[in-house]
Amino acid sequence: MLITCPICGARDVEEFTYWGDATVAYPALDASEEAWFNAVYQRENPSGDHYELWHHERGCRAFLKVRRNMATHFIHGCELVGPFAGTESAT
């Protein structure tokens, strides 16, 4: 699977680390155990397009929000998130 990093271009998925579902709103750190259990374990398992967070760990180290089809693994696109969002370069 190839992920096209906005900074580095198309790269093999092995350069990236999956950081999870980009659509989950996690509770506050002092929330109840039940709230955390529900946020972590009681979620939908989508079969179509879905947003995920990926870290380009072995590249520019940017964080990306990737739109990927969960059934076919086709990546429709990605964008920078975090401190480098809206910039042309992470260096």
Side-chain angles (χ1 to χ4, degrees):
M1 186 167 72
L2 293 177
I3 297 176
T4 302
C5 174
I7 296 171
C8 303
R11 298 290 193 263
D12 190 87
V13 71
E14 291 184 9
E15 289 190 15
F16 297 85
T17 302
Y18 176 75
W19 272 54
D21 185 339
T23 64
V24 174
Y26 289 102
L29 292 177
D30 60 351
S32 70
E33 186 175 308
E34 180 181 4
W36 273 100
F37 178 85
N38 289 333
V40 174
Y41 297 108
Q42 303 297 324
R43 295 188 277 148
E44 296 294 319
N45 187 10
S47 63
D49 288 355
H50 186 63
Y51 287 97
E52 304 170 324
L53 292 173
W54 289 81
H55 180 224
H56 196 177
E57 186 173 28
R58 293 190 215 160
C60 63
R61 305 192 58 80
F63 284 89
L64 310 174
K65 183 167 78 170
V66 176
R67 190 176 115 210
R68 180 172 70 96
N69 186 291
M70 301 300 282
T72 65
H73 300 292
F74 181 79
I75 295 177
H76 296 281
C78 61
E79 62 186 67
L80 292 170
V81 294
F84 301 118
T87 65
E88 294 184 28
S89 173
T91 57

